Amino acid sequence: KAGVTQTPRYLIKTRGQQVTLSCSPISGHRSVSWYQQTPGQGLQFLFEYFSETQRNKGNFPGRFSGRQFSNSRSEMNVSTLELGDSALYLCASSRLAEQFFGPGTRLTVL
Amino acid sequence: QKEVEQDPGPLSVPEGAIVSLNCTYSNSAFQYFMWYRQYSRKGPELLMYTYSSGNKEDGRFTAQVDKSSKYISLFIRDSQPSDSATYLCAMSRSIGSGGGADGLTFGKGTHLIIQP
C-alpha cells in the first residue's frame, strides 16, 4: 500500500508571498493532519481534517489554513509568508489512532 | 512547564547495547502514546503505539507506559548502527469518530547515536 505523499518536496518563497502544499493520504484513510517542524519548536500540530471538515486546530495564526477534498486529499495554504514560517511541513493520515507521516515539504522563506 | 518533556541528547551507545528513551508529560488526559523514529531530512516513522498503562513489545522494541507517574519509555534491544536517528514521543487525548487523533503533542526528540 502506498504511503502518504506530499508535493512539492522543496519550496523557496519570499516574504509576503503565499504558498500551497498538497498531501495525498494512504488509501482508505479519511483523517489528514498537518504539522510544522522547526529546530526550535519541534513538531507542532496545525490542524486536522476529516470528511472535508476541519475537526481540530492548533495554536497558529489565521494565515495558516487548509482544506480537504472528497477524495481525502488535503492542501494547506500559508498567506503573507514570514521568515519564521521556514520549516518542514508534515502531513499525516490515519484510520484509527496511529498517524502515518509523509516525507514533508521543506519551505524556505527568504 | 511544557506538556511533554524529552531529553534531546545526544545519547551515544555502543552497538549491541540496550537503549532506554524516555518522556514525561504533565497532562493526565493523554490516553494514546506513540513513538516515532525520524532520520535526517525524512518524515517521522511510526514505531510503536500503545493505549493506557502497560508494556507492548514488537521485535527489538518495547514500549512502556506508566500513567500514574506520567512517564513513558521506549527500549531498544541489540541496538544497531541503523537505529541511529531522532526518536520522538507523541501523545493525544482522544480519537475522533472515524479515526484520527485530536492532534498529537510531541516531545522535542532524542538524538540517538549507535557506535559500531
Side-chain angles (χ1 to χ4, degrees), chain A residues 9-10 31 35 37 40-43 45 48 50 55-56 88 90 94-103 106, chain B residues 2 32 34 36 38 41-46 49 88 95-108:
Chain A
R9 294 293 312 277
Y10 302 92
S31 169
Y35 294 82
Q37 186 174 31
Q41 299 299 318
L43 263 155
F45 172 68
E48 185 235 357
F50 180 82
R55 197 164 56 173
N56 291 292
L88 181 65
L90 292 156
S94 56
R95 185 176 63 83
L96 298 172
E98 302 101 310
Q99 295 194 7
F100 299 91
F101 283 83
R106 185 162 297 278
Chain B
K2 288 190 177 295
Y32 302 88
M34 294 158 225
Y36 287 86
Q38 187 174 27
R41 300 201 166 269
K42 303 283 188 184
E45 171 193 3
L46 180 63
Y49 157 68
L88 299 145
I95 301 176
S97 85
D102 66 353
L104 296 177
T105 300
F106 280 85
K108 286 287 190 72

Side-chain angles (χ1 to χ4, degrees), chain B residues 3-113:
Chain B
E3 275 194 295
V4 180
E5 299 274 6
Q6 185 176 10
D7 188 332
L11 175 62
S12 182
V13 301
E15 182 177 356
I18 295 175
V19 176
S20 172
L21 303 166
N22 311 293
C23 287
T24 59
Y25 61 96
S26 58
N27 190 341
S28 59
F30 287 134
Q31 300 283 341
Y32 302 88
F33 304 92
M34 294 158 225
W35 284 95
Y36 287 86
R37 176 175 64 193
Q38 187 174 27
Y39 293 111
S40 181
R41 300 201 166 269
K42 303 283 188 184
E45 171 193 3
L46 180 63
L47 288 175
M48 299 288 285
Y49 157 68
T50 55
Y51 169 69
S52 76
S53 288
N55 291 359
K56 182 176 181 180
E57 188 173 320
D58 184 0
R60 296 185 297 113
F61 299 94
T62 299
Q64 196 172 76
V65 174
D66 182 349
K67 291 183 70 179
S68 63
S69 301
K70 298 190 182 67
Y71 188 87
I72 68 171
S73 300
L74 178 71
F75 299 95
I76 306 174
R77 290 181 298 280
D78 188 25
S79 56
Q80 304 294 311
S82 58
D83 295 327
S84 298
T86 296
Y87 289 78
L88 299 145
C89 64
M91 46 200 80
S92 70
R93 292 177 293 273
S94 64
I95 301 176
S97 85
D102 66 353
L104 296 177
T105 300
F106 280 85
K108 286 287 190 72
T110 297
H111 182 47
L112 174 65
I113 300 167

Side-chain angles (χ1 to χ4, degrees), chain A residues 73-87:
Chain A
R73 192 177 68 84
S74 178
E75 289 180 347
M76 71 162 280
N77 184 276
V78 188
S79 62
T80 319
L81 284 166
E82 300 177 0
L83 294 179
D85 296 333
S86 294

